[in-house]
């Protein structure tokens, strides 16, 4: 951005202004000098002429008084006036201030004439007597003749041509001054105009810049605002979300807590219920095996049915609670799936027939890896469900290989599951077509148990259903890589290859009724039973008999903080290793772990007599085998 | 001491008074004998008539005349003036003021600072070119400054002076 034309213009204008300023100062100085000259010459010239005129007047006045005989008028004073007037004429004739007056044509001569006249008058004046009017007139007349000339001289001093010349010079100086001043004004104005224009340009540029800056600022501010707003809304959202999350977390915590509380309640309740139920079951078995009358047999059968339903419900409750609490640890083993299918399918087939249905179990030679008990429970539940909801048709239990896993499927020809309820059926206490909550149809825990157990085992659960045609539930179990290491005989198998008679069982149970019922049951199976409220009591009894038991059956929770495991161990100390079964209503992991760690067999309350019998046989045969 | 007699005492007293009188005479000015050409009044120590100092030509001449050659706006050439040095006149009257209010026969008045008499060469001229100045020639007294080139100075060159008042 160069402004060389402007710079040149500036320079030129400044030079012009300086020149005009110089000429102005010069003209001002000249003007002052001229004015001084004019004023001095005019005033002095006029003044000396006027003074002379004034002195003439005074002289004539004094002369009048003296000539007319004024007694106060002294002769000396008159003479002084004469002298003074003469002095004035001399000043006009000689002095510098009267130079201009003397330029007047005939002025010098006129003054000289007047002095000559004065010289003539002087002797007469000296000789003048006071009151001598004649002599006075002779003197006064020529003196009066001086007036016109002096008056003219004064007039001339004020307006004469010489003063015109001086005034011309003065006017020239004035003109020069005015021109200089105008030049200065014009050049300065031009300078100011140029300067203003440049300033305006600069200002305009500045304004443009400012505008750009402003708009930029505005944009930045806008963006900032947007960002701030976005940030705010984000912050708000985050806050809301975190609040929601917190609420959710709290709700989840609350739900979990509620669920845990519920589970704990259920566990406690089922435990408390189990004790009397077990007693009932045992007593029922004792009764049913001792009563032969038909009518009572029927009552007993109904009673047994009710008891089994009750035990089943309780078991399911317990199962789901235990699954909820996460206290069950699956024990993965490899086994032939066929055995499991038969064990589950057998009782179910009977039940199906009772309901007029056909249940087919398709044999399978596969060996799978899973927890046999838990998987069995899954299948039982699935079959039980199928049976419960199927009124006619078939139920099929079979397997199909799929890569490295085996899909165990349960088919039914039931009503199927509506699409919108496919998820709900896995929820606890959910039942389709049971709004009246008929408890003979169960609690609606079956599929919930299935799902939880499958999760626990890590098996995939699958379900297909066509409403009106039927449903299929499947669980995918990994195939074992090799043949099963050992084979667990199916519980409830009646096959027994050694004599149970005379086998002594030590029963440790503090509840007398339960102990009695169990004793009766065991004795019916041909066992001899020694009962003790704890280990030491049982040992005392045994010592009294002088016998050694073949098996220990102990209740886990005993009075006085004792446990079945500890009492069993006490027995072992006295008697050496013996197979032991610990029955517990406890679902606490601690208890289960303690039982398993001790090497005891575990039975959950309420104990199914068949299972107890099977376990007892198993334990005894294992001990015999060992 | 034989000469201490009543007569001698009288003579001593007379001599004493004469001395005192001479002292008094030295404080005051002698009386003018001719026509008075200058009257000095105001703050002066020495006077002769009613607290005023009246001078005739001789009295002024006795103060000592000095010569001063200078041009003036009212004379031709370089006239030789002769008069009393201003400072001498001030000393003669015992002036105690700062200014002189001067008045001429023609009633012209001007104020002259006494300090001028230190700064400039100023005389109360009585003669021009050896001649006593007549009134027509700006006499009897003309206050002359040497080289009155500015009006400030020339305005104070009062002629036909006859009165001074010291303030």
């Amino acid at each position: 951005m160069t402004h060389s034309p402007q710079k040149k213009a500036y320079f030129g204008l400044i030079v012009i202004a300086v020149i005009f300023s110089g000429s102005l100062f010069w003209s001002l100085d000249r003007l002052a000098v001229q004015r001084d000259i004019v004023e001095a010459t005019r005033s002095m010239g006029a003044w000396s002429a006027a003074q002379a005129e004034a002195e003439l007047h005074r002289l004539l006045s004094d002369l009048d008084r003296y000539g007319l005989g004024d007694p106060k008028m002294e002769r000396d004073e008159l003479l002084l006036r004469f002298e003074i007037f003469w002095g004035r004429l001399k000043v006009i004739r000689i002095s510098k201030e009267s130079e201009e007056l003397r330029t007047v044509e005939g002025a010098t001569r006129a003054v000289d004439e007047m002095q000559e006249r004065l010289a003539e008058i002087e002797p007469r004046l000296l000789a003048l007597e006071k009151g001598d009017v004649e002599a006075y007139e002779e003197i006064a007349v020529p003196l009066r003749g001086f007036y016109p000339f002096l008056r003219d001289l004064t007039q001339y001093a004020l307006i004469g041509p010489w003063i015109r010349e001086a005034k011309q010079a003065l006017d020239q100086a004035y003109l020069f001054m005015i021109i200089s001043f105008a030049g200065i004004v014009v050049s300065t104005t031009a300078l100011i105009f140029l300067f203003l224009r440049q300033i305006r340009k600069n200002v305009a540029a500045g304004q443009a810049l400012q505008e750009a800056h402003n708009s930029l600022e505005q944009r930045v501010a806008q963006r900032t605002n947007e960002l701030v707003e976005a940030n705010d809304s984000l912050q708000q959202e985050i806050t809301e979300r975190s609040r929601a999350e917190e609420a959710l977390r709290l709700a989840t915590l609350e739900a979990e807590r509620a669920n845990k509380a519920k589970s704990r309640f259920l566990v406690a309740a089922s435990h408390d219920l189990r004790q009397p139920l077990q007693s009932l079951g045992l007593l029922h078995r004792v009764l049913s095996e001792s009563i032969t009358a038909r009518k009572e047999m029927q009552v007993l059968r109904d009673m047994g049915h009710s008891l089994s339903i009750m035990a089943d419900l309780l078991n399911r409750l317990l199962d789901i609670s235990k699954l909820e609490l996460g206290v069950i640890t699956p024990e993965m083993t490899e086994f032939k799936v066929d055995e499991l299918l038969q064990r589950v399918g057998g009782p179910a087939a009977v039940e199906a027939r009772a309901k007029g249905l056909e249940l087919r179990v398709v044999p399978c030679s596969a060996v799978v890896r899973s927890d046999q008990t838990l998987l069995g429970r899954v299948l039982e539940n699935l079959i039980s469900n199928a049976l419960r909801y199927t009124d006619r048709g078939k139920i099929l239990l079979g397997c199909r290989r799929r890569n490295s896993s085996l899909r165990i499927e349960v088919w039914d020809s039931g009503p199927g599951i509506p699409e919108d309820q496919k998820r709900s059926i896995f929820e606890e206490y959910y039942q389709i077509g049971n709004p009246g909550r008929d408890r003979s149809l169960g609690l609606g825990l079956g599929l919930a148990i299935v799902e939880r157990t499958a999760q626990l085992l890590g098996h995939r659960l699958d379900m297909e259903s066509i409403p009106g045609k039927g449903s299929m539930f499947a669980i995918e179990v990994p195939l074992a890589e090799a043949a099963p290491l050992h084979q667990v005989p199916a519980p409830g198998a009646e096959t027994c290859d050694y004599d149970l008679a005379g086998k002594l069982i030590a029963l440790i149970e503090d509840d007398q009724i339960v102990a009695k019922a169990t004793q009766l049951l065991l004795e019916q199976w041909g066992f001899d039973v020694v009962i003790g409220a704890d280990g030491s009591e049982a040992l005392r009894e045994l010592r009294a008999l002088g016998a050694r038991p073949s098996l220990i059956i102990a209740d886990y929770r005993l009075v006085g903080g004792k446990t079945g495991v500890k009492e069993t161990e006490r027995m072992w100390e006295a008697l050496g290793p013996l197979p032991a079964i610990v029955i517990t209503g406890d679902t606490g992991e601690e208890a289960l772990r303690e039982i398993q760690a001790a090497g005891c067999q575990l039975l959950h309350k309420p104990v199914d007599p068949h299972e107890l019998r099977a376990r007892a046989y198993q334990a005894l045969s294992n001990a015999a085998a060992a | 001491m034989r000469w201490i007699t009543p007569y001698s005492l009288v003579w001593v007293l007379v001599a004493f008074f004469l001395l005192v009188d001479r002292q008094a005479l030295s404080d005051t000015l002698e009386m003018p004998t001719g026509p008075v050409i200058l009257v000095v009044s105001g703050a002066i120590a020495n006077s002769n008539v009613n607290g005023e100092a009246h001078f005739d030509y001789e009295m002024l001449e006795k103060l000592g005349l000095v010569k001063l050659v200078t041009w003036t706006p009212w004379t031709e050439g370089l006239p030789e003036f002769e008069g009393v040095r201003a400072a001498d006149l001030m000393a003669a009257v015992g002036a105690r003021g700062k200014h002189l209010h001067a008045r001429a026969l023609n009633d012209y008045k001007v104020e002259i600072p006494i300090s001028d008499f230190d700064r400039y060469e100023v005389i109360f001229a009585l003669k021009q070119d050896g001649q006593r100045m007549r009134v027509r020639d700006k006499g009897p007294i003309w206050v002359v400054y040497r080289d009155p080139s500015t009006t400030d100075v020339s305005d104070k060159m009062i002629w036909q002076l006859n009165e001074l008042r010291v303030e």
Side-chain angles (χ1 to χ4, degrees), chain A residues 25 99 105 112 133 135 155 181 192 194 260 304 319 372 374 419 426 433 472 560 587 594 616:
Chain A
F25 280 115
E99 262 177 350
E105 198 183 349
D112 286 346
V133 178
Q155 286 293 312
F181 192 72
I192 288 168
L194 258 185
K260 285 257 171 74
D319 285 347
Q372 206 173 344
L374 292 172
E419 196 67 30
F426 289 100
M472 184 279 290
T587 49
E594 191 187 350

Side-chain angles (χ1 to χ4, degrees), chain A residues 253-274 317-327 428-429 585-589:
Chain A
L253 271 180
E254 180 61 23
E256 277 176 4
R257 197 189 59 77
N259 209 25
K260 285 257 171 74
K262 181 203 74 183
S263 300
R264 252 177 259 118
F265 166 75
L266 284 175
V267 168
S270 55
H271 179 263
D272 290 346
L273 280 172
R274 211 174 272 181
L317 260 179
L318 196 60
D319 285 347
I320 193 75
S321 302
K322 282 193 286 190
L323 285 169
E324 286 275 338
L325 287 173
V327 295
E428 296 158 54
Y429 312 110
D586 245 305
T587 49
E589 201 178 356

Side-chain angles (χ1 to χ4, degrees), chain B residues 15-52:
Chain B
F16 179 76
F17 280 111
L18 272 174
L19 276 171
V20 170
D21 194 43
R22 278 198 79 82
Q23 186 68 35
L25 279 173
S26 73
D27 277 343
T28 57
L29 293 167
E30 61 179 299
M31 291 304 288
T33 51
V36 173
I37 57 169
L38 180 64
V39 176
V40 182
S41 62
I44 53 170
N46 308 330
S47 59
N48 45 18
V49 180
N50 299 325
E52 293 175 345

Side-chain angles (χ1 to χ4, degrees), chain A residues 317-394:
Chain A
L317 260 179
L318 196 60
D319 285 347
I320 193 75
S321 302
K322 282 193 286 190
L323 285 169
E324 286 275 338
L325 287 173
V327 295
I328 295 171
T329 28
E331 195 185 332
M332 305 303 277
T333 54
E334 291 176 352
F335 55 91
K336 285 183 179 173
V337 76
D338 205 39
E339 288 174 5
L340 184 63
L341 295 181
Q342 292 306 325
R343 177 166 69 83
V344 176
V350 178
E351 203 178 328
R353 261 197 304 278
K355 209 180 167 183
L357 301 166
E358 189 192 337
L359 188 141
R360 276 189 64 190
V361 177
V362 182
C364 177
S365 62
V367 177
V368 295
R369 181 173 176 78
S370 183
D371 184 301
Q372 206 173 344
T373 316
L374 292 172
L375 184 60
R377 203 167 293 161
V378 167
L379 294 177
E380 277 171 5
N381 273 298
L382 288 176
I383 292 166
S384 150
N385 241 30
L387 284 171
R388 189 172 300 151
Y389 292 103
T390 307
D391 295 327
R392 60 178 177 275
K394 285 183 187 175

